[in-house]
Amino acid sequence: MPVRTVAKVCRDFLEKTLPKAQRRWSLFSLATPCNLPPGLSRALPTTLARRYLTRQISESLVSEEEGSRGFSWPCPASRGPPSPLQVRIWEIPEGGLKRNMTEALLELHGHSRRVGLVEWHPTTNNILFSAGYDYKVLIWNLDVGEPVKMIDCHSDVILCMSFNTDGSLLTTTCKDKKLRVIEPRSGRVLQEANCKNHRVNRVVFLGNMKRLLTTGVSRWNTRQIALWDQEDLSMPLIEEEIDGLSGLLFPFYDADTHMLYLAGKGDGNIRYYEISTEKPYLSYLMEFRSPAPQKGLGVMPKHGLDVSACEVFRFYKLVTLKGLIEPISMIVPRRSDSYQEDIYPMTPGTEPALTPDEWLGGINRDPVLMSLKEGYKKSPKMVFKAPIKEKKSVVVNGIDLLENVPPRTENELLRMFFRQQDEIRRLKEELAQKDIRIRQLQLELKNLRNSPKNC
């Protein structure tokens, strides 16, 4: 069945079955028959036509009427456990992990759908950004354990977040194929680019150069990188195609050496580039090669590098085939054993430059710098105390909604029903056992009263 015919059948069915005030909704989260109401499933003649309802068709049927509210049909069979809606704060104990951690230091609740990204503010203490599948970015003040700001300018899932050096600007990539530069405190979009020819996936600020670098896919489905001016996103400064592989490209930028590292998911190599403020802006150097594909990469902070070996960057490569994490060091070969000031300038340290109240009040400040000449000196341990939250209650019809969250879907209702049935069955068994025990005690008491010793 053609797409237009399917869309017409869906629209006709919904106009007949739904009141006018309920015609703004996200039709189907996925194009599977279990997400369709029975009447609509029968209206579509073939399974192939039902599966043809992709997210794009769903979005094309969304009504734009005012005063409407969400509407969706629950799938009767769950395909997996519910997604986490909270952000958890963990504290690594002194000396590292020696056992599994089961209790979080703090749990943050605020997103209505699962959380996909978390980023710490680069200069402010205890300010955390989280992006969820509800298309919102929440700014958390961990001193109080509550969200203090919300950025609500995205129309689809947020793919990546990155800050400039002092944290006064936030850039995001989104599934709606747009690149945005945002003032985080107000949530105002300063610059926006509609990337149709370069579908952006990841973005990173390039230090104080006022440049952005994005990785994505070109119109010919080749992996591509692009360099942008953060004050003018009308068109990229340069675009460069990398290869024809399909894995995501993860950019890592070292502001001290102006080095850009590109690593692809599923690749075994890591490419190096040098970034400059003048043309050609991007200069390819060489690449690290490995036969083992990487699923993900972590980075060691600057103050953890081996300065005596001229180590300028260190990756931690997740190798899934071998079940291990492999460290990869980027070392500049030097003959001299003296401190190399040209590759180790003053770098951001571990001390925060601002308090949460200062940053929320509008103050911007560059990070506190430290020197690596004398090696890394451990700063005094900062103890984070989770805020004590007063118990809040929202009572409706005698039910505390925060303690007893009502089910939102038929699936959750069924799970809650069966859980309650199990609880009722368990309580009945305990009650029956206590009745038997009471009868035994009554019989023993009667025997004691009728015994000859008590006469």
Side-chain angles (χ1 to χ4, degrees), residues 205-236:
F205 263 105
L206 301 181
N208 292 321
M209 292 185 178
K210 295 187 177 181
R211 297 284 190 270
L212 302 173
L213 185 126
T214 59
T215 65
V217 182
S218 69
R219 63 172 65 182
W220 297 281
N221 287 329
T222 58
R223 296 197 295 189
Q224 190 181 53
I225 60 175
L227 190 67
W228 306 77
D229 183 352
Q230 74 178 37
E231 297 178 352
D232 182 12
L233 299 184
S234 58
M235 61 181 300

PDB file of all heavy atoms in Angstrom, residues 205-236:
ATOM      1  N   PHE A 205      33.102  21.941  20.949  1.00  0.00           N
ATOM      2  CA  PHE A 205      33.693  23.276  20.898  1.00  0.00           C
ATOM      3  C   PHE A 205      35.210  23.151  20.805  1.00  0.00           C
ATOM      4  O   PHE A 205      35.819  22.328  21.498  1.00  0.00           O
ATOM      5  CB  PHE A 205      33.333  24.058  22.160  1.00  0.00           C
ATOM      6  CG  PHE A 205      32.164  24.981  22.005  1.00  0.00           C
ATOM      7  CD1 PHE A 205      30.937  24.654  22.557  1.00  0.00           C
ATOM      8  CD2 PHE A 205      32.278  26.169  21.320  1.00  0.00           C
ATOM      9  CE1 PHE A 205      29.849  25.505  22.421  1.00  0.00           C
ATOM     10  CE2 PHE A 205      31.213  27.026  21.176  1.00  0.00           C
ATOM     11  CZ  PHE A 205      29.984  26.701  21.735  1.00  0.00           C
ATOM     12  N   LEU A 206      35.835  23.985  19.989  1.00  0.00           N
ATOM     13  CA  LEU A 206      37.285  23.961  19.819  1.00  0.00           C
ATOM     14  C   LEU A 206      37.930  25.048  20.669  1.00  0.00           C
ATOM     15  O   LEU A 206      38.454  26.047  20.169  1.00  0.00           O
ATOM     16  CB  LEU A 206      37.650  24.132  18.341  1.00  0.00           C
ATOM     17  CG  LEU A 206      37.090  23.066  17.388  1.00  0.00           C
ATOM     18  CD1 LEU A 206      37.544  23.319  15.966  1.00  0.00           C
ATOM     19  CD2 LEU A 206      37.508  21.661  17.836  1.00  0.00           C
ATOM     20  N   GLY A 207      37.870  24.874  21.972  1.00  0.00           N
ATOM     21  CA  GLY A 207      38.530  25.785  22.897  1.00  0.00           C
ATOM     22  C   GLY A 207      38.073  27.220  22.743  1.00  0.00           C
ATOM     23  O   GLY A 207      36.880  27.517  22.658  1.00  0.00           O
ATOM     24  N   ASN A 208      39.071  28.152  22.701  1.00  0.00           N
ATOM     25  CA  ASN A 208      38.786  29.589  22.568  1.00  0.00           C
ATOM     26  C   ASN A 208      38.854  30.074  21.118  1.00  0.00           C
ATOM     27  O   ASN A 208      38.941  31.277  20.875  1.00  0.00           O
ATOM     28  CB  ASN A 208      39.788  30.390  23.416  1.00  0.00           C
ATOM     29  CG  ASN A 208      39.558  30.168  24.902  1.00  0.00           C
ATOM     30  OD1 ASN A 208      38.427  30.077  25.359  1.00  0.00           O
ATOM     31  ND2 ASN A 208      40.648  30.072  25.661  1.00  0.00           N
ATOM     32  N   MET A 209      38.816  29.167  20.162  1.00  0.00           N
ATOM     33  CA  MET A 209      38.909  29.558  18.753  1.00  0.00           C
ATOM     34  C   MET A 209      37.591  30.084  18.189  1.00  0.00           C
ATOM     35  O   MET A 209      37.549  30.524  17.043  1.00  0.00           O
ATOM     36  CB  MET A 209      39.361  28.354  17.901  1.00  0.00           C
ATOM     37  CG  MET A 209      40.775  27.909  18.144  1.00  0.00           C
ATOM     38  SD  MET A 209      41.225  26.589  16.984  1.00  0.00           S
ATOM     39  CE  MET A 209      42.920  26.316  17.454  1.00  0.00           C
ATOM     40  N   LYS A 210      36.509  29.978  18.968  1.00  0.00           N
ATOM     41  CA  LYS A 210      35.169  30.334  18.488  1.00  0.00           C
ATOM     42  C   LYS A 210      34.799  29.507  17.263  1.00  0.00           C
ATOM     43  O   LYS A 210      34.239  30.001  16.290  1.00  0.00           O
ATOM     44  CB  LYS A 210      35.074  31.838  18.178  1.00  0.00           C
ATOM     45  CG  LYS A 210      35.229  32.718  19.407  1.00  0.00           C
ATOM     46  CD  LYS A 210      34.970  34.169  19.091  1.00  0.00           C
ATOM     47  CE  LYS A 210      35.062  35.022  20.356  1.00  0.00           C
ATOM     48  NZ  LYS A 210      34.781  36.445  20.083  1.00  0.00           N
ATOM     49  N   ARG A 211      35.160  28.256  17.323  1.00  0.00           N
ATOM     50  CA  ARG A 211      34.857  27.318  16.248  1.00  0.00           C
ATOM     51  C   ARG A 211      34.149  26.092  16.829  1.00  0.00           C
ATOM     52  O   ARG A 211      34.351  25.723  17.992  1.00  0.00           O
ATOM     53  CB  ARG A 211      36.126  26.860  15.533  1.00  0.00           C
ATOM     54  CG  ARG A 211      36.895  27.958  14.840  1.00  0.00           C
ATOM     55  CD  ARG A 211      36.231  28.394  13.540  1.00  0.00           C
ATOM     56  NE  ARG A 211      37.078  29.269  12.749  1.00  0.00           N
ATOM     57  CZ  ARG A 211      37.093  30.588  12.852  1.00  0.00           C
ATOM     58  NH1 ARG A 211      36.309  31.179  13.743  1.00  0.00           N
ATOM     59  NH2 ARG A 211      37.889  31.325  12.093  1.00  0.00           N
ATOM     60  N   LEU A 212      33.336  25.470  15.991  1.00  0.00           N
ATOM     61  CA  LEU A 212      32.681  24.208  16.310  1.00  0.00           C
ATOM     62  C   LEU A 212      33.105  23.176  15.277  1.00  0.00           C
ATOM     63  O   LEU A 212      33.269  23.501  14.099  1.00  0.00           O
ATOM     64  CB  LEU A 212      31.159  24.342  16.275  1.00  0.00           C
ATOM     65  CG  LEU A 212      30.495  25.363  17.195  1.00  0.00           C
ATOM     66  CD1 LEU A 212      29.015  25.445  16.888  1.00  0.00           C
ATOM     67  CD2 LEU A 212      30.708  24.974  18.640  1.00  0.00           C
ATOM     68  N   LEU A 213      33.242  21.943  15.719  1.00  0.00           N
ATOM     69  CA  LEU A 213      33.500  20.855  14.790  1.00  0.00           C
ATOM     70  C   LEU A 213      32.420  19.802  14.972  1.00  0.00           C
ATOM     71  O   LEU A 213      32.112  19.391  16.096  1.00  0.00           O
ATOM     72  CB  LEU A 213      34.872  20.237  15.003  1.00  0.00           C
ATOM     73  CG  LEU A 213      35.200  19.166  13.952  1.00  0.00           C
ATOM     74  CD1 LEU A 213      36.527  19.465  13.274  1.00  0.00           C
ATOM     75  CD2 LEU A 213      35.224  17.772  14.552  1.00  0.00           C
ATOM     76  N   THR A 214      31.829  19.385  13.870  1.00  0.00           N
ATOM     77  CA  THR A 214      30.768  18.378  13.906  1.00  0.00           C
ATOM     78  C   THR A 214      31.179  17.182  13.066  1.00  0.00           C
ATOM     79  O   THR A 214      31.928  17.299  12.103  1.00  0.00           O
ATOM     80  CB  THR A 214      29.437  18.934  13.359  1.00  0.00           C
ATOM     81  OG1 THR A 214      29.630  19.386  12.007  1.00  0.00           O
ATOM     82  CG2 THR A 214      28.941  20.079  14.212  1.00  0.00           C
ATOM     83  N   THR A 215      30.690  16.020  13.471  1.00  0.00           N
ATOM     84  CA  THR A 215      30.828  14.808  12.671  1.00  0.00           C
ATOM     85  C   THR A 215      29.435  14.352  12.281  1.00  0.00           C
ATOM     86  O   THR A 215      28.480  14.523  13.035  1.00  0.00           O
ATOM     87  CB  THR A 215      31.545  13.697  13.451  1.00  0.00           C
ATOM     88  OG1 THR A 215      30.733  13.301  14.557  1.00  0.00           O
ATOM     89  CG2 THR A 215      32.891  14.173  13.957  1.00  0.00           C
ATOM     90  N   GLY A 216      29.328  13.787  11.095  1.00  0.00           N
ATOM     91  CA  GLY A 216      28.023  13.350  10.623  1.00  0.00           C
ATOM     92  C   GLY A 216      28.132  12.568   9.334  1.00  0.00           C
ATOM     93  O   GLY A 216      29.169  11.954   9.035  1.00  0.00           O
ATOM     94  N   VAL A 217      27.049  12.636   8.565  1.00  0.00           N
ATOM     95  CA  VAL A 217      26.940  11.867   7.329  1.00  0.00           C
ATOM     96  C   VAL A 217      26.556  12.823   6.210  1.00  0.00           C
ATOM     97  O   VAL A 217      25.684  13.686   6.383  1.00  0.00           O
ATOM     98  CB  VAL A 217      25.901  10.742   7.465  1.00  0.00           C
ATOM     99  CG1 VAL A 217      25.825   9.920   6.186  1.00  0.00           C
ATOM    100  CG2 VAL A 217      26.226   9.846   8.644  1.00  0.00           C
ATOM    101  N   SER A 218      27.196  12.671   5.050  1.00  0.00           N
ATOM    102  CA  SER A 218      26.884  13.507   3.897  1.00  0.00           C
ATOM    103  C   SER A 218      25.653  12.962   3.167  1.00  0.00           C
ATOM    104  O   SER A 218      25.109  11.917   3.526  1.00  0.00           O
ATOM    105  CB  SER A 218      28.079  13.565   2.942  1.00  0.00           C
ATOM    106  OG  SER A 218      28.277  12.302   2.329  1.00  0.00           O
ATOM    107  N   ARG A 219      25.235  13.657   2.132  1.00  0.00           N
ATOM    108  CA  ARG A 219      24.069  13.216   1.368  1.00  0.00           C
ATOM    109  C   ARG A 219      24.335  11.912   0.621  1.00  0.00           C
ATOM    110  O   ARG A 219      23.406  11.230   0.193  1.00  0.00           O
ATOM    111  CB  ARG A 219      23.658  14.300   0.376  1.00  0.00           C
ATOM    112  CG  ARG A 219      24.707  14.608  -0.675  1.00  0.00           C
ATOM    113  CD  ARG A 219      24.171  15.537  -1.748  1.00  0.00           C
ATOM    114  NE  ARG A 219      23.858  16.848  -1.206  1.00  0.00           N
ATOM    115  CZ  ARG A 219      23.348  17.830  -1.930  1.00  0.00           C
ATOM    116  NH1 ARG A 219      23.079  17.621  -3.229  1.00  0.00           N
ATOM    117  NH2 ARG A 219      23.113  19.011  -1.398  1.00  0.00           N
ATOM    118  N   TRP A 220      25.620  11.542   0.446  1.00  0.00           N
ATOM    119  CA  TRP A 220      25.969  10.279  -0.200  1.00  0.00           C
ATOM    120  C   TRP A 220      26.277   9.195   0.830  1.00  0.00           C
ATOM    121  O   TRP A 220      26.899   8.186   0.490  1.00  0.00           O
ATOM    122  CB  TRP A 220      27.173  10.485  -1.113  1.00  0.00           C
ATOM    123  CG  TRP A 220      26.883  11.445  -2.225  1.00  0.00           C
ATOM    124  CD1 TRP A 220      26.201  11.191  -3.384  1.00  0.00           C
ATOM    125  CD2 TRP A 220      27.256  12.816  -2.265  1.00  0.00           C
ATOM    126  NE1 TRP A 220      26.109  12.327  -4.146  1.00  0.00           N
ATOM    127  CE2 TRP A 220      26.756  13.359  -3.492  1.00  0.00           C
ATOM    128  CE3 TRP A 220      27.942  13.671  -1.409  1.00  0.00           C
ATOM    129  CZ2 TRP A 220      26.927  14.685  -3.859  1.00  0.00           C
ATOM    130  CZ3 TRP A 220      28.120  15.000  -1.772  1.00  0.00           C
ATOM    131  CH2 TRP A 220      27.617  15.489  -2.988  1.00  0.00           C
ATOM    132  N   ASN A 221      25.875   9.415   2.090  1.00  0.00           N
ATOM    133  CA  ASN A 221      26.043   8.436   3.171  1.00  0.00           C
ATOM    134  C   ASN A 221      27.512   8.108   3.436  1.00  0.00           C
ATOM    135  O   ASN A 221      27.856   6.964   3.757  1.00  0.00           O
ATOM    136  CB  ASN A 221      25.265   7.149   2.869  1.00  0.00           C
ATOM    137  CG  ASN A 221      23.775   7.340   3.018  1.00  0.00           C
ATOM    138  OD1 ASN A 221      23.313   8.151   3.828  1.00  0.00           O
ATOM    139  ND2 ASN A 221      22.997   6.607   2.241  1.00  0.00           N
ATOM    140  N   THR A 222      28.370   9.084   3.286  1.00  0.00           N
ATOM    141  CA  THR A 222      29.768   8.944   3.676  1.00  0.00           C
ATOM    142  C   THR A 222      30.001   9.736   4.956  1.00  0.00           C
ATOM    143  O   THR A 222      29.371  10.766   5.187  1.00  0.00           O
ATOM    144  CB  THR A 222      30.707   9.458   2.578  1.00  0.00           C
ATOM    145  OG1 THR A 222      30.401  10.835   2.311  1.00  0.00           O
ATOM    146  CG2 THR A 222      30.548   8.652   1.307  1.00  0.00           C
ATOM    147  N   ARG A 223      30.902   9.232   5.789  1.00  0.00           N
ATOM    148  CA  ARG A 223      31.214   9.939   7.032  1.00  0.00           C
ATOM    149  C   ARG A 223      31.942  11.236   6.732  1.00  0.00           C
ATOM    150  O   ARG A 223      32.815  11.278   5.852  1.00  0.00           O
ATOM    151  CB  ARG A 223      32.030   9.045   7.965  1.00  0.00           C
ATOM    152  CG  ARG A 223      31.272   7.827   8.422  1.00  0.00           C
ATOM    153  CD  ARG A 223      31.900   7.170   9.623  1.00  0.00           C
ATOM    154  NE  ARG A 223      33.213   6.611   9.351  1.00  0.00           N
ATOM    155  CZ  ARG A 223      33.887   5.838  10.194  1.00  0.00           C
ATOM    156  NH1 ARG A 223      33.353   5.539  11.361  1.00  0.00           N
ATOM    157  NH2 ARG A 223      35.072   5.364   9.880  1.00  0.00           N
ATOM    158  N   GLN A 224      31.597  12.270   7.475  1.00  0.00           N
ATOM    159  CA  GLN A 224      32.044  13.611   7.125  1.00  0.00           C
ATOM    160  C   GLN A 224      32.267  14.429   8.391  1.00  0.00           C
ATOM    161  O   GLN A 224      31.598  14.220   9.414  1.00  0.00           O
ATOM    162  CB  GLN A 224      30.978  14.266   6.244  1.00  0.00           C
ATOM    163  CG  GLN A 224      31.363  15.572   5.597  1.00  0.00           C
ATOM    164  CD  GLN A 224      30.224  16.128   4.764  1.00  0.00           C
ATOM    165  OE1 GLN A 224      29.107  16.277   5.254  1.00  0.00           O
ATOM    166  NE2 GLN A 224      30.488  16.424   3.504  1.00  0.00           N
ATOM    167  N   ILE A 225      33.206  15.365   8.337  1.00  0.00           N
ATOM    168  CA  ILE A 225      33.396  16.341   9.407  1.00  0.00           C
ATOM    169  C   ILE A 225      33.223  17.734   8.816  1.00  0.00           C
ATOM    170  O   ILE A 225      33.459  17.949   7.623  1.00  0.00           O
ATOM    171  CB  ILE A 225      34.781  16.194  10.088  1.00  0.00           C
ATOM    172  CG1 ILE A 225      35.908  16.387   9.071  1.00  0.00           C
ATOM    173  CG2 ILE A 225      34.905  14.864  10.788  1.00  0.00           C
ATOM    174  CD1 ILE A 225      37.294  16.376   9.687  1.00  0.00           C
ATOM    175  N   ALA A 226      32.797  18.671   9.660  1.00  0.00           N
ATOM    176  CA  ALA A 226      32.581  20.045   9.207  1.00  0.00           C
ATOM    177  C   ALA A 226      33.032  20.995  10.299  1.00  0.00           C
ATOM    178  O   ALA A 226      32.877  20.716  11.492  1.00  0.00           O
ATOM    179  CB  ALA A 226      31.111  20.286   8.857  1.00  0.00           C
ATOM    180  N   LEU A 227      33.598  22.137   9.887  1.00  0.00           N
ATOM    181  CA  LEU A 227      34.064  23.178  10.796  1.00  0.00           C
ATOM    182  C   LEU A 227      33.161  24.393  10.644  1.00  0.00           C
ATOM    183  O   LEU A 227      32.862  24.820   9.526  1.00  0.00           O
ATOM    184  CB  LEU A 227      35.518  23.540  10.490  1.00  0.00           C
ATOM    185  CG  LEU A 227      36.240  24.453  11.489  1.00  0.00           C
ATOM    186  CD1 LEU A 227      36.427  23.748  12.814  1.00  0.00           C
ATOM    187  CD2 LEU A 227      37.584  24.895  10.922  1.00  0.00           C
ATOM    188  N   TRP A 228      32.712  24.952  11.793  1.00  0.00           N
ATOM    189  CA  TRP A 228      31.751  26.046  11.789  1.00  0.00           C
ATOM    190  C   TRP A 228      32.282  27.216  12.604  1.00  0.00           C
ATOM    191  O   TRP A 228      33.046  27.037  13.562  1.00  0.00           O
ATOM    192  CB  TRP A 228      30.428  25.599  12.401  1.00  0.00           C
ATOM    193  CG  TRP A 228      29.807  24.372  11.814  1.00  0.00           C
ATOM    194  CD1 TRP A 228      30.198  23.077  12.037  1.00  0.00           C
ATOM    195  CD2 TRP A 228      28.697  24.306  10.922  1.00  0.00           C
ATOM    196  NE1 TRP A 228      29.397  22.210  11.346  1.00  0.00           N
ATOM    197  CE2 TRP A 228      28.460  22.937  10.650  1.00  0.00           C
ATOM    198  CE3 TRP A 228      27.875  25.262  10.329  1.00  0.00           C
ATOM    199  CZ2 TRP A 228      27.436  22.510   9.814  1.00  0.00           C
ATOM    200  CZ3 TRP A 228      26.850  24.833   9.495  1.00  0.00           C
ATOM    201  CH2 TRP A 228      26.644  23.480   9.236  1.00  0.00           C
ATOM    202  N   ASP A 229      31.836  28.408  12.232  1.00  0.00           N
ATOM    203  CA  ASP A 229      32.038  29.605  13.040  1.00  0.00           C
ATOM    204  C   ASP A 229      30.872  29.699  14.008  1.00  0.00           C
ATOM    205  O   ASP A 229      29.710  29.723  13.588  1.00  0.00           O
ATOM    206  CB  ASP A 229      32.094  30.842  12.141  1.00  0.00           C
ATOM    207  CG  ASP A 229      32.384  32.120  12.913  1.00  0.00           C
ATOM    208  OD1 ASP A 229      32.393  32.078  14.173  1.00  0.00           O
ATOM    209  OD2 ASP A 229      32.570  33.167  12.283  1.00  0.00           O
ATOM    210  N   GLN A 230      31.143  29.740  15.320  1.00  0.00           N
ATOM    211  CA  GLN A 230      30.054  29.702  16.294  1.00  0.00           C
ATOM    212  C   GLN A 230      29.151  30.937  16.227  1.00  0.00           C
ATOM    213  O   GLN A 230      28.022  30.905  16.709  1.00  0.00           O
ATOM    214  CB  GLN A 230      30.613  29.565  17.709  1.00  0.00           C
ATOM    215  CG  GLN A 230      31.254  30.829  18.260  1.00  0.00           C
ATOM    216  CD  GLN A 230      31.747  30.662  19.681  1.00  0.00           C
ATOM    217  OE1 GLN A 230      32.238  29.602  20.052  1.00  0.00           O
ATOM    218  NE2 GLN A 230      31.614  31.693  20.485  1.00  0.00           N
ATOM    219  N   GLU A 231      29.630  32.026  15.620  1.00  0.00           N
ATOM    220  CA  GLU A 231      28.814  33.233  15.515  1.00  0.00           C
ATOM    221  C   GLU A 231      28.067  33.333  14.184  1.00  0.00           C
ATOM    222  O   GLU A 231      27.290  34.266  13.988  1.00  0.00           O
ATOM    223  CB  GLU A 231      29.708  34.465  15.705  1.00  0.00           C
ATOM    224  CG  GLU A 231      30.350  34.523  17.083  1.00  0.00           C
ATOM    225  CD  GLU A 231      31.277  35.713  17.236  1.00  0.00           C
ATOM    226  OE1 GLU A 231      31.525  36.396  16.210  1.00  0.00           O
ATOM    227  OE2 GLU A 231      31.749  35.960  18.361  1.00  0.00           O
ATOM    228  N   ASP A 232      28.288  32.355  13.293  1.00  0.00           N
ATOM    229  CA  ASP A 232      27.595  32.359  12.006  1.00  0.00           C
ATOM    230  C   ASP A 232      27.490  30.920  11.507  1.00  0.00           C
ATOM    231  O   ASP A 232      28.439  30.369  10.953  1.00  0.00           O
ATOM    232  CB  ASP A 232      28.345  33.221  10.981  1.00  0.00           C
ATOM    233  CG  ASP A 232      27.624  33.287   9.639  1.00  0.00           C
ATOM    234  OD1 ASP A 232      26.445  32.865   9.570  1.00  0.00           O
ATOM    235  OD2 ASP A 232      28.238  33.749   8.663  1.00  0.00           O
ATOM    236  N   LEU A 233      26.326  30.318  11.719  1.00  0.00           N
ATOM    237  CA  LEU A 233      26.114  28.929  11.322  1.00  0.00           C
ATOM    238  C   LEU A 233      25.361  28.816  10.003  1.00  0.00           C
ATOM    239  O   LEU A 233      24.742  27.790   9.720  1.00  0.00           O
ATOM    240  CB  LEU A 233      25.331  28.184  12.428  1.00  0.00           C
ATOM    241  CG  LEU A 233      25.987  28.100  13.810  1.00  0.00           C
ATOM    242  CD1 LEU A 233      25.143  27.270  14.751  1.00  0.00           C
ATOM    243  CD2 LEU A 233      27.387  27.509  13.709  1.00  0.00           C
ATOM    244  N   SER A 234      25.403  29.883   9.194  1.00  0.00           N
ATOM    245  CA  SER A 234      24.685  29.832   7.921  1.00  0.00           C
ATOM    246  C   SER A 234      25.266  28.773   6.997  1.00  0.00           C
ATOM    247  O   SER A 234      24.534  28.127   6.240  1.00  0.00           O
ATOM    248  CB  SER A 234      24.717  31.202   7.242  1.00  0.00           C
ATOM    249  OG  SER A 234      26.066  31.623   7.037  1.00  0.00           O
ATOM    250  N   MET A 235      26.586  28.566   7.051  1.00  0.00           N
ATOM    251  CA  MET A 235      27.220  27.523   6.261  1.00  0.00           C
ATOM    252  C   MET A 235      28.567  27.182   6.893  1.00  0.00           C
ATOM    253  O   MET A 235      29.204  28.023   7.538  1.00  0.00           O
ATOM    254  CB  MET A 235      27.417  27.963   4.797  1.00  0.00           C
ATOM    255  CG  MET A 235      28.303  29.168   4.611  1.00  0.00           C
ATOM    256  SD  MET A 235      28.463  29.634   2.872  1.00  0.00           S
ATOM    257  CE  MET A 235      29.171  28.133   2.197  1.00  0.00           C
ATOM    258  N   PRO A 236      29.016  25.934   6.755  1.00  0.00           N
ATOM    259  CA  PRO A 236      30.284  25.549   7.382  1.00  0.00           C
ATOM    260  C   PRO A 236      31.472  26.191   6.683  1.00  0.00           C
ATOM    261  O   PRO A 236      31.435  26.508   5.489  1.00  0.00           O
ATOM    262  CB  PRO A 236      30.297  24.022   7.231  1.00  0.00           C
ATOM    263  CG  PRO A 236      29.393  23.741   6.085  1.00  0.00           C
ATOM    264  CD  PRO A 236      28.342  24.804   6.102  1.00  0.00           C
TER     265      PRO A 236
END
